Amino acid sequence: MSDVRSSVMGGSYAHPADTSARIQFRRALTLTAMTLVMPGSAQLVNGNKRIGRIAVRVWLAFLAVGAVLLFLAMNSRKQLLSLLIESPLLPVGRWILIAGAVAWVALIVDAWRLGRPLELRRKHRLWMTGINSVLCFVTAGTLFFAAHLVAVQTSFVGDVFNASEVSKPQEGRYNVLLLGGDSGPERSGLRPDSLTVASIDKNTGRTVLVGLPRNLQNVPFPKGSVMRKAFPNGFNGEGQYLNAINTWANDHASLFKQKNPGLKATMGAVEEITGLKLNYYAMVNMHGFSKLVNAVGGVRLNVQQRTAIGGIGSPIRGWIEAGEQTLTGDQALWYSRSRVQNDDFSRMGRQKCVMNAMLHQLSPQKVLFNVEKIASSSKALLTTNIPKSELDVFVDLALKAKTQKVSTVSLVPPVIYTGNPDFKKVRRLIDHAIDKAEGRSSIPGGITKARLSVPKTGDDANDPRKANQSSDLGAAC
């Protein structure tokens, strides 16, 4: 008797009720953990075995699908992208995810019931209620978010990439015309004030950006085209620059037997200028671009020169100071388009630096967590004839391009005089830039590295124009 009393006084004696309460609590925790790891397993052990078997089989099917996706991610990224972007099963998958969320929550609640919460001690009952509530929120929230991503992606792809004509790479490269469109009440039509050809190696993603000044004159057109018949000696009248072709063709749409005559005419002119066969175009609305930058939390840039905000048809309302900083959408827009206190060629260099920054800073993680904002801004941002079936190709190339140097060649002074350009020389410059990017070292026509550089100035290190001619755009920016 004295031994029992001393044991109790020493604290080593465990009351049978305490032991039972702990066992019940552990049992309830175990049932919940089983449902989290393998939905339906708690029901197999201590509930409706029929429901448990169905749930476990469905869960194993989910795991099998996940294993296939993981295998594709590790061995065939292009196939994975194709499956995620253009699979006709995606809308069905969205509803499967929603149903899975509801079912999983129901199984967690049932596991809580199987743990007999009313028989638990009050503190244990509160713990179990809290744990199960959190798990319901996390599991359902994850699956609902995945279903939402599928819905947003399907809507975005369907709205923007609705073309159907597929264009094969030319001499191992995709050539895409990127146009920065800027429209407003003071303008006659939409004029693409930024024109760049992205020439992308179809295997490596190695990219050469060809910058075309908006004020390029005497622009030639393809033989047999409507524009060639109207301007046999080139686009060389008053105010007839490269960026005005779009407006002229749209204003004379009756002469063309095709949709989007302005874009088609511009693409034909760019092909004649560069000697590159264009596969696709992407028209970027500059104000939509501002929304995209805000959607991803800004863009980090080395601002090489103090740049004005405003001043194009309106007073200057601020400045972007020189130095490393993160620009908002409005600041990035003005850094790309401002030509106050500098020139178009400086602006072209700054635009290329913004392109380079966006390419390398738009990570898959950032896209995932901002997908709705990005999709919304991109609908206002982008018009393109890239078909949905080719999206997997270009997403894969973009991921490859992030690991590669980007080269640039621009048709600007002193290399090319925009008022009277030598188009044969233009083509040699572009061929040389592509050859160099591909590791072919021949230098045609006596074109030397010195002639491809920007003019030397006292502040050359901070001259944005050096980004116009570079074999490594990242280093130039």
Side-chain angles (χ1 to χ4, degrees):
M1 185 70 178
S2 60
D3 292 339
V4 172
R5 189 178 295 114
S6 62
S7 297
V8 173
M9 294 298 290
S12 61
Y13 176 72
H15 194 280
D18 293 333
T19 302
S20 177
R22 285 197 296 270
I23 291 173
Q24 281 185 299
F25 183 50
R26 285 198 297 267
R27 176 176 172 275
L29 279 174
T30 301
L31 290 171
T32 297
M34 290 170 64
T35 306
L36 179 64
V37 175
M38 181 175 286
S41 56
Q43 286 70 27
L44 278 177
V45 171
N46 197 30
N48 189 318
K49 289 181 170 51
R50 180 172 176 271
I51 291 177
R53 283 193 294 270
I54 294 172
V56 168
R57 288 167 183 167
V58 171
W59 178 245
L60 291 175
F62 267 99
L63 291 180
V65 171
V68 170
L69 294 178
L70 179 62
F71 176 81
L72 290 176
M74 297 175 63
N75 296 279
S76 181
R77 186 170 61 189
K78 185 174 177 297
Q79 277 189 301
L80 175 63
L81 291 169
S82 178
L83 184 65
L84 296 178
I85 290 172
E86 56 178 309
S87 172
L89 298 177
L90 279 178
V92 177
R94 177 196 173 202
W95 291 108
I96 291 175
L97 288 169
I98 293 173
V102 174
W104 205 347
V105 167
L107 291 170
I108 292 173
V109 172
D110 190 53
W112 174 78
R113 180 188 65 82
L114 294 173
R116 300 175 185 174
L118 296 180
E119 298 179 13
L120 298 175
R121 289 190 171 181
R122 185 173 182 275
K123 65 176 183 179
H124 292 161
R125 187 163 62 248
L126 290 174
W127 269 104
M128 287 307 304
T129 301
I131 290 171
N132 279 270
S133 298
V134 170
L135 289 180
C136 286
F137 178 79
V138 171
T139 54
T142 301
L143 291 180
F144 280 134
F145 179 66
H148 177 65
L149 291 183
V150 172
V152 170
Q153 180 260 328
T154 302
S155 172
F156 166 64
V157 170
D159 289 345
V160 176
F161 300 92
N162 50 23
S164 58
E165 186 176 347
V166 174
S167 179
K168 298 299 182 183
Q170 307 294 319
E171 298 182 0
R173 304 185 72 84
Y174 286 100
N175 300 309
V176 182
L177 177 61
L178 308 175
L179 305 105
D182 200 3
S183 61
E186 78 284 357
R187 292 194 165 206
S188 174
L190 185 148
R191 295 187 301 191
D193 279 356
S194 170
L195 299 99
T196 302
V197 176
S199 182
I200 310 161
D201 186 284
K202 71 180 182 70
N203 296 317
T204 67
R206 184 74 158 88
T207 301
V208 177
L209 297 178
V210 181
L212 296 99
R214 69 189 186 99
N215 61 345
L216 201 66
Q217 298 183 44
N218 298 331
V219 174
F221 298 103
K223 292 180 179 179
S225 67
V226 172
M227 295 299 294
R228 179 68 169 261
K229 293 175 182 177
F231 301 96
N233 299 316
F235 204 56
N236 56 9
E238 179 65 27
Q240 291 180 339
Y241 305 130
L242 175 59
N243 73 326
I245 293 173
N246 184 76
T247 301
W248 190 96
N250 286 334
D251 288 345
H252 299 81
S254 59
L255 300 176
F256 300 82
K257 296 179 180 179
Q258 56 187 181
K259 295 180 179 179
N260 300 322
L263 280 170
K264 295 294 177 63
T266 302
M267 291 179 72
V270 170
E271 288 181 341
E272 285 296 295
I273 293 167
T274 62
L276 300 174
K277 177 67 176 176
L278 296 177
N279 297 96
Y280 303 108
Y281 74 85
M283 171 76 83
V284 176
N285 181 288
M286 300 300 275
H287 296 287
F289 169 76
S290 175
K291 293 181 180 179
L292 175 63
V293 172
N294 283 332
V296 297
V299 58
R300 295 188 311 278
L301 278 173
N302 174 27
V303 177
Q304 295 172 323
Q305 289 181 342
R306 190 172 188 246
T307 305
I309 298 175
I312 301 178
S314 62
I316 294 175
R317 55 182 173 85
W319 295 88
I320 303 167
E321 300 296 338
E324 293 277 351
Q325 55 181 299
T326 299
L327 303 186
T328 65
D330 185 60
Q331 289 174 323
L333 173 62
W334 281 102
Y335 189 67
S336 299
R337 73 190 297 254
S338 178
R339 57 179 186 272
V340 175
Q341 297 189 344
N342 46 46
D343 55 27
D344 274 333
F345 313 130
S346 172
R347 179 171 76 162
M348 289 174 64
R350 284 183 270 117
Q351 287 170 352
K352 290 177 177 61
C353 288
V354 172
M355 289 181 192
N356 183 71
M358 292 294 286
L359 171 66
H360 289 91
Q361 292 173 33
L362 268 179
S363 65
Q365 295 87 349
K366 187 172 287 189
V367 171
L368 176 65
F369 288 108
N370 296 279
V371 65
E372 188 166 11
K373 292 180 181 178
I374 292 173
S376 176
S377 62
S378 296
K379 288 180 183 179
L381 163 76
L382 187 63
T383 303
T384 183
N385 65 342
I386 298 175
K388 181 173 69 172
S389 60
E390 289 291 278
L391 261 185
D392 57 334
V393 173
F394 283 95
V395 173
D396 186 51
L397 287 175
L399 292 173
K400 289 178 178 177
K402 287 169 66 73
T403 65
Q404 302 274 353
K405 292 179 180 179
V406 176
S407 303
T408 62
V409 57
S410 299
L411 315 184
V412 298
V415 184
I416 297 296
Y417 175 52
T418 57
N420 186 25
D422 180 345
F423 290 109
K424 290 183 179 179
K425 181 180 178 182
V426 164
R427 294 188 176 198
R428 293 200 305 272
L429 286 169
I430 295 169
D431 289 343
H432 168 58
I434 292 175
D435 283 346
K436 189 173 181 181
E438 295 291 347
R440 299 187 291 268
S441 58
S442 59
I443 301 179
I447 299 170
T448 65
K449 182 177 180 180
R451 292 187 66 190
L452 289 174
S453 64
V454 299
K456 295 293 180 183
T457 67
D459 195 27
D460 187 60
N462 294 319
D463 192 334
R465 291 176 295 173
K466 67 180 182 293
N468 286 321
Q469 319 284 4
S470 174
S471 58
D472 185 356
L473 181 57
C477 293

